[in-house]
Amino acid sequence: MDYAKKGKYRMSDAAFSLFEEMKQIGIPPDIVTYNSLIDGLCKFGQWEKVRTLFSEMVNLNIYPDVCTLTIVTDGLCKEGKVEDVEEVMRHMIEKGVEPNVVTYNVIIDGYCLRGQMDRARRIFDSMINKSIEPTIISYTILINGYCLFEVGKTDFAQKFFAEMLSTGLKPNLCTNQIFLHGYFQNGLVEKAMLLFHELEAKREDIDIELYNVLIDGLCKNGHFDKAHALFEKLSLIELFPNVITYTIIISGFCVEGLLDEAKDMLRKMNENGHLPNDVTYNIIVRGFLKFGKTSEMITFSKEMTGMGFSFDASTVELLIDAIAKDPSLLNMIPQFHLGNKN
């Protein structure tokens, strides 16, 4: 067990001890107390203790409410136990606890994250059949699922989007970002750009996160010139790049073999008060490594280690290939040894 997990278990044990102490000194727990403790136990995956608490609650005539149901549902979904969720929900309904739209959203999202879109849609429809009105979040979750997990199913997402509009709900920034990302992921660059221009024409609120999706999508679909032009345009529309924006454009330069430009952008990023993160450094190290620029690669690898960052799996894989071809590299990257020791 790693240190992070040990720390989490210690925290949950401490919470449990405090809970027992409350009971011993005569402070009776209520539904809020139980929900708080169950929430923590769910996050740490301590399901046996959750079951124990459920039994204890019922024995004390404190019955789980819709908040309890949603907490347990969320915890199970995050562990990929979506089928268990439906069983819990059926049991709770039998006990008179009706799930609300938040509970349904959690289950729909759980199925979407597993790519089980038919089941996600079935749960969505059952929610409507129970006269529970979906929110913009409900629709956005399903649209995200169709765009990201059903390759070639962006038409389904569009139909669903039209259905959402017919209810009077309006898309938010998150919905638009999901559509853009979905279009780019499916290689539908023209549709993505059409949507973007429509948002511009409507003077919709467009933030840097949406531009990040746009710039990244253009880079990954072989339109780096357009992506770079959009990047340069940002200051003119009073939007300013963040760490993600800089990292995307640096990655684009590296893919194109424009390593001097990538290096200049890294420095510019620093000058503008945005410190590169581990993703940025791994991208630039891989970029220089791929094009055989060993000296610069070593400089950046030492720089990133000095900032407390380490190589990710993709960088390590490239380094191993490079060292196999030129074993002398091993002595030139001392932090590579340190990374393997820890």
Side-chain angles (χ1 to χ4, degrees):
M1 185 185 297
D2 61 32
Y3 290 115
K5 284 185 180 177
K6 284 181 181 177
K8 286 180 177 180
Y9 280 119
R10 278 198 295 269
M11 284 193 295
S12 66
D13 288 343
F16 222 87
S17 297
L18 180 60
F19 176 70
E20 293 299 328
E21 188 179 320
M22 282 174 61
K23 290 190 289 184
Q24 287 171 13
I25 62 175
I27 302 174
D30 59 10
I31 186 63
V32 176
T33 314
Y34 276 103
N35 283 348
S36 296
L37 196 54
I38 289 170
D39 186 36
L41 293 172
C42 287
K43 284 173 180 170
F44 301 143
Q46 295 182 282
W47 298 106
E48 285 305 315
K49 286 186 176 180
V50 171
R51 289 187 186 95
T52 301
L53 282 181
F54 262 95
S55 299
E56 185 180 304
M57 287 171 72
V58 173
N59 289 336
L60 292 171
N61 292 321
I62 300 172
Y63 293 98
D65 60 8
V66 68
C67 182
T68 323
L69 173 59
T70 304
I71 288 167
V72 174
T73 300
D74 186 49
L76 287 169
C77 283
K78 283 175 179 169
E79 292 209 355
K81 300 176 179 178
V82 194
E83 287 81 3
D84 292 346
V85 167
E86 290 201 59
E87 186 182 334
V88 169
M89 192 163 74
R90 278 193 296 271
H91 176 73
M92 296 292 279
I93 290 170
E94 287 170 7
K95 297 291 182 183
V97 179
E98 287 294 331
N100 60 17
V101 68
V102 178
T103 319
Y104 276 104
N105 285 348
V106 167
I107 301 172
I108 294 166
D109 192 41
Y111 278 125
C112 285
L113 291 173
R114 293 178 62 180
Q116 295 176 288
M117 296 309 302
D118 288 343
R119 288 192 175 188
R121 182 64 202 243
R122 175 174 59 79
I123 296 294
F124 180 88
D125 290 339
S126 70
M127 174 175 72
I128 293 174
N129 290 338
K130 292 195 172 187
S131 300
I132 298 173
E133 287 190 16
T135 63
I136 184 68
I137 295 171
S138 316
Y139 281 100
T140 300
I141 289 168
L142 264 177
I143 288 168
N144 184 53
Y146 281 123
C147 282
L148 300 187
F149 298 102
E150 292 276 284
V151 177
K153 293 288 183 72
T154 51
D155 286 348
F156 275 71
Q158 283 179 303
K159 287 175 185 175
F160 199 61
F161 180 70
E163 184 181 317
M164 181 191 84
L165 293 177
S166 71
T167 67
L169 290 171
K170 292 184 178 180
N172 56 22
L173 267 173
C174 183
T175 318
N176 291 324
Q177 284 177 28
I178 286 167
F179 261 116
L180 273 180
H181 188 66
Y183 284 143
F184 280 125
Q185 184 168 287
N186 286 276
L188 303 171
V189 178
E190 287 185 13
K191 281 193 172 183
M193 294 309 295
L194 183 63
L195 171 59
F196 173 68
H197 291 314
E198 282 176 4
L199 294 174
E200 276 192 316
K202 291 176 183 175
R203 299 187 180 278
E204 296 277 350
D205 287 334
I206 298 178
D207 63 3
I208 192 62
E209 301 304 330
L210 190 135
Y211 266 94
N212 286 346
V213 173
L214 188 66
I215 293 168
D216 187 51
L218 288 168
C219 285
K220 288 176 177 172
N221 280 275
H223 297 277
F224 178 71
D225 287 344
K226 287 182 179 177
H228 189 215
L230 280 171
F231 177 85
E232 294 297 331
K233 167 190 169 184
L234 289 175
S235 59
L236 300 176
I237 56 174
E238 297 184 349
L239 283 177
F240 300 96
N242 57 22
V243 173
I244 295 170
T245 327
Y246 280 111
T247 300
I248 290 167
I249 211 71
I250 286 169
S251 177
F253 278 131
C254 288
V255 169
E256 295 292 316
L258 302 169
L259 301 179
D260 287 339
E261 287 84 349
K263 187 163 57 174
D264 290 342
M265 189 61 70
L266 186 73
R267 301 306 174 211
K268 182 179 178 182
M269 178 180 182
N270 267 305
E271 289 165 7
N272 288 338
H274 294 286
L275 291 177
N277 58 21
D278 58 334
V279 178
T280 320
Y281 271 108
N282 272 286
I283 283 170
I284 205 159
V285 166
R286 287 199 298 270
F288 278 90
L289 189 59
K290 282 178 183 176
F291 286 92
K293 304 288 184 179
T294 307
S295 176
E296 291 94 333
M297 180 274 292
I298 291 167
T299 299
F300 282 117
S301 65
K302 288 180 178 178
E303 192 175 306
M304 72 181 282
T305 304
M307 295 182 72
F309 302 136
S310 37
F311 300 132
D312 62 20
S314 298
T315 308
V316 169
E317 188 178 343
L318 272 181
L319 281 166
I320 290 170
D321 288 343
I323 289 165
K325 294 172 186 173
D326 181 6
S328 67
L329 273 176
L330 194 57
N331 296 323
M332 299 166 73
I333 314 173
Q335 68 269 38
F336 191 42
H337 298 284
L338 293 173
N340 284 330
K341 284 179 184 176
N342 287 331

